[in-house]
Amino acid sequence: MPDTIEMKIPKRITAALLNSITAGVTPRLGIEHIAVGRKREIETLLADLDNIGEGGSVFRFIVGRYGSGKSFLLQIIRQYATDRGYIVADADLSPERKLIGGNNGGLATYRELLRTMSSKVRPDGGALTALLEKWIDNIRVSLLAGGADEAELPPLVEKKIMLDISQTEGFVHGYDFSKVLQAYWRGFNLNDDNLKSSAMKWLRGEYAVKSEAVAALGVRSIVTDDSWFDYIKLLSAFIRILGCKGLIVLLDEGVNLYKISNTVSRNNNYEKLLNMFNDAMQGKASGLGVYMCGTPQFVEDMRRGLFSYEALRTRLAGSRFIKGGRVDMQGPLIYLEKLTHEEMFVLLQRVAQLHAYHNGCEQKLGEAELIAFMQLVANRLGADELLTPREVLRDFTSILNVLFQNPGENFEELIGGDILKKVTEQPDEADGGEAVEYNL
């Protein structure tokens, strides 16, 4: 990968990256500039995208402890997917956003997914409206290119739209879905913004009662807390009709399902999760990928985790033959291993380069300083296996900020000069000295 300083990254990207790292949150912009490791995981996810692009579907859980890089990996999936022509929707689960129940928690999740639906040209959400507009425009342009007259265009466009829409009518709720799309076309054709707005309101799950949908659109169903995933499947199929490769749904903070204190409500969410998992893995969806992040406790706790729900445990538990450090990257559970010392070192190098480039200053920390810093945080936490990228980077950027803001400050004094001395000096064998070795 090219040296980060030579990549001419826009200032807004470097600012967003450094602000995110300093705050301990996952960057949404420029994440490729600090991506290291995760080779096997990314290869698996890219293979998933190929499968989804052919009309397949998949559901995977990305498992790791807090700060291990779960959300980071989701953002890498997001970038790879949008760059390759997929539509991506993401939502963080929370006490208000669940899979079902809790004052329409599932519907709240659906609405968030529709709000964040993004594409390569609409990376910040709102992609569905843009897709519908582009769909109609492409049909018009195609007909005009084929010799159609402008005056006869509306009925021809409507005929092609009806042909496209008919492919969704075999799905659950597909008939009403097609009627809403027809209403959107009529609003487009007649310049009726109210009709277009009503259609989008229905698609976004914003009708509270069926009578409102009947009055506005003539349809007798609406997106509900129970049915929202059926509409996700509908949308994934329709997106493929529009020429996109598929729909990728990213659900972060799955641990919030684990935190539901009411046993009945928690099990209802696990039942909904089971249905979603079955539909994706049994091929009942087309062009759909669902990825959920959670902690090992969220998955493995036999009292209130996913494994407490027998039907999920039997589907997710690994084979008894996969042991002794072996992993199955094709299984539904992808466990994130900690970054190696080499990968962590490269990550620190890139962040140091990024910081220097953003602030227009010389990069002052060399290899010895980076190793000394790694040794310091490993000793502080007691064991380097406890390190997570979030913890390391947050401390590291704080040191970079202090050194930049205070030119008189010294790196050795900040971290403790003895550690740097042990890293840089060779041991004196005559004195029986030992060097501190960091396995790079």
Side-chain angles (χ1 to χ4, degrees):
M1 179 173 176
D3 190 297
T4 306
I5 295 178
E6 298 176 356
M7 294 183 71
K8 305 300 180 186
I9 310 170
K11 199 84 168 178
R12 65 182 184 87
I13 301 294
T14 58
L17 273 171
L18 291 171
N19 288 339
S20 298
I21 293 170
T22 302
V25 298
T26 303
R28 289 181 71 95
L29 293 175
I31 200 167
E32 69 276 13
H33 300 301
I34 58 171
V36 299
R38 307 298 182 210
K39 182 175 184 293
R40 290 189 302 175
E41 291 89 343
I42 291 174
E43 287 175 348
T44 299
L45 299 173
L46 290 177
D48 284 349
L49 290 180
D50 290 339
N51 173 47
I52 294 164
E54 295 295 326
S57 56
V58 70
F59 195 123
R60 293 192 192 275
F61 295 87
I62 299 173
V63 186
R65 72 186 190 89
Y66 289 111
S68 62
K70 302 183 298 298
S71 300
F72 191 92
L73 189 58
L74 280 192
Q75 291 306 315
I76 291 177
I77 299 171
R78 176 192 178 90
Q79 179 169 307
Y80 279 136
T82 53
D83 285 348
R84 287 162 172 75
Y86 295 82
I87 304 300
V88 180
D90 61 278
D92 288 354
L93 299 183
S94 68
E96 293 75 34
R97 288 197 290 265
K98 302 183 179 71
L99 301 183
I100 194 170
N103 195 24
N104 286 331
L107 186 57
T109 298
Y110 173 84
R111 290 170 178 168
E112 179 69 5
L113 290 172
L114 268 287
R115 186 187 70 80
T116 61
M117 193 173 283
S118 305
S119 64
K120 187 174 183 178
V121 296
R122 295 291 293 270
D124 299 320
L128 183 57
T129 302
L131 285 172
L132 293 175
E133 300 280 341
K134 183 180 178 182
W135 171 48
I136 295 172
D137 282 338
N138 284 346
I139 293 174
R140 288 166 55 87
V141 169
S142 177
L143 290 171
L144 288 171
D149 186 79
E150 184 74 40
E152 61 181 6
L153 206 56
L156 293 176
V157 172
E158 183 163 350
K159 182 179 179 181
K160 180 63 170 68
I161 284 175
M162 294 295 291
L163 184 63
D164 286 348
I165 290 173
S166 66
Q167 300 177 54
T168 67
E169 293 185 2
F171 289 83
V172 177
H173 309 299
Y175 178 72
D176 282 343
F177 183 79
S178 67
K179 287 190 69 175
V180 171
L181 294 178
Q182 292 172 46
Y184 187 89
W185 152 246
R186 291 198 305 273
F188 183 95
N189 186 46
L190 300 172
N191 291 318
D192 186 340
D193 289 338
N194 287 333
L195 190 54
K196 288 170 59 178
S197 178
S198 296
M200 290 306 302
K201 182 178 178 180
W202 188 92
L203 290 170
R204 290 193 295 259
E206 295 174 356
Y207 280 108
V209 293
K210 294 180 182 179
S211 58
E212 294 179 355
V214 172
L217 299 165
V219 295
R220 297 188 175 277
S221 69
I222 57 175
V223 184
T224 67
D225 205 48
D226 292 319
S227 66
W228 68 269
F229 192 68
D230 292 329
Y231 290 94
I232 291 293
K233 293 187 292 183
L234 260 172
L235 284 168
S236 70
F238 179 62
I239 281 169
R240 286 179 53 78
I241 294 170
L242 301 188
C244 300
K245 290 187 175 181
L247 174 63
I248 308 299
V249 173
L250 309 177
L251 298 173
D252 205 353
E253 303 297 343
V255 71
N256 279 292
L257 301 182
Y258 172 85
K259 292 179 179 178
I260 298 174
S261 57
N262 184 279
T263 303
V264 174
S265 178
R266 186 172 62 251
N267 285 340
N268 286 341
N269 275 267
Y270 288 167
E271 176 69 22
K272 182 70 173 181
L273 185 59
L274 174 66
N275 293 335
M276 294 166 59
F277 180 84
N278 287 343
D279 285 353
M281 301 302 273
Q282 291 175 345
K284 293 182 180 179
S286 175
L288 177 64
V290 183
Y291 296 88
M292 176 179 282
C293 286
T295 61
Q297 189 179 34
F298 160 61
V299 175
E300 299 168 359
D301 191 312
M302 297 299 293
R303 188 171 63 88
R304 37 188 309 178
L306 297 184
F307 282 9
S308 70
Y309 199 79
E310 182 66 16
L312 280 172
R313 187 187 66 78
T314 56
R315 287 162 174 77
L316 301 180
S319 168
R320 62 182 182 274
F321 298 106
I322 307 299
K323 53 188 177 181
R326 301 181 183 92
V327 293
D328 176 13
M329 297 304 296
Q330 295 302 317
L333 298 177
I334 298 179
Y335 282 88
L336 294 188
E337 299 178 2
K338 70 184 183 74
L339 293 179
T340 65
H341 295 158
E342 293 88 347
E343 291 166 345
M344 189 69 78
F345 180 80
V346 171
L347 180 58
L348 293 180
Q349 277 187 321
R350 292 186 182 177
V351 171
Q353 292 169 351
L354 187 74
H355 189 275
Y357 174 72
H358 176 77
N359 291 295
C361 63
E362 180 184 353
Q363 182 184 333
K364 298 179 180 179
L365 303 187
E367 179 176 321
E369 286 82 4
L370 298 184
I371 295 175
F373 172 78
M374 292 172 67
Q375 187 68 60
L376 173 69
V377 292
N379 291 341
R380 186 199 68 193
L381 293 174
D384 64 356
E385 61 264 21
L386 297 177
L387 295 177
T388 65
R390 177 187 298 169
E391 293 163 333
V392 173
L393 290 181
R394 189 166 52 195
D395 287 345
F396 186 62
T397 52
S398 294
I399 287 179
L400 293 176
N401 289 335
V402 169
L403 291 174
F404 173 70
Q405 296 165 24
N406 304 276
E409 290 284 356
N410 183 279
F411 176 76
E412 292 95 307
E413 293 177 358
L414 276 177
I415 71 165
D418 288 344
I419 293 178
L420 183 60
K421 184 178 180 181
K422 291 177 181 177
V423 169
T424 55
E425 289 185 353
Q426 294 295 322
D428 188 340
E429 294 183 2
D431 295 334
E434 293 185 1
V436 174
E437 293 185 3
Y438 206 88
N439 185 23
L440 287 173

